[in-house]
Amino acid sequence: MLLGNLKKELWTAEKRLDSIWVQKSRLKWSAEGDRNTKFFHSVASKHYRNNHISSIQVDENVFTEPNEIRSYVRNFFQSLYGQQSRVHFDLSRLIFSKISLEQAENLSLPFSINTSFMVLVPKVAGSENIKDYRPISLVNGFFKLL
């Protein structure tokens, strides 16, 4: 019972300490982060080093050229998230009284203008394998409406 209470108090104290450090870092960023200072450049450089993909391992092969990395990443996630089989559906029983036949046919066409940017976020520090990254898709507002 006593050990459990001590662990709970320790956990609470650690959370408070973490919260204080987060607040202090935000204050420093507010004061110095948006200016062209040494602090700003050190933070930006650290983010670049953490997020830069200089090489990627695919099975036993290691790719280091940016074009090779870009091509493999695109192909990997396209095959992972791409449409594997076509979904067949029948619209013949639906009555579209306010749209033309051509408009109805266009509703069932696959998207051909779908473009977005993808950002890879490392799941672990020092990621080398493509499976160590999480893809985040940056889609503009028009496609979100669709």
Side-chain angles (χ1 to χ4, degrees), residues 50-140:
N50 288 343
N51 296 330
H52 179 69
I53 302 174
S54 59
S55 67
I56 195 121
Q57 181 179 351
V58 181
D59 299 325
E60 290 81 33
N61 302 325
V62 177
F63 297 104
T64 57
E65 291 297 318
N67 288 334
E68 291 177 339
I69 293 171
R70 188 177 305 118
S71 176
Y72 179 75
V73 167
R74 183 183 309 114
N75 293 339
F76 177 81
F77 286 108
Q78 191 172 31
S79 67
L80 185 63
Y81 295 116
Q83 187 176 9
Q84 302 299 325
S85 62
R86 188 158 180 93
V87 178
H88 297 285
F89 50 91
D90 183 21
L91 298 177
S92 63
R93 295 183 191 173
L94 297 175
I95 299 171
F96 294 105
S97 59
K98 295 187 180 185
I99 60 174
S100 68
L101 180 62
E102 181 183 348
Q103 290 170 329
E105 289 173 355
N106 288 337
L107 289 174
S108 63
L109 293 175
F111 284 99
S112 62
I113 57 171
N114 189 10
T115 59
S116 65
F117 293 98
M118 184 173 65
V119 176
L120 297 179
V121 178
K123 294 178 187 176
V124 295
S127 301
E128 293 180 358
N129 196 313
I130 188 68
K131 295 175 184 175
D132 294 337
Y133 291 92
R134 178 178 293 115
I136 305 295
S137 179
L138 306 173
V139 181
N140 67 21

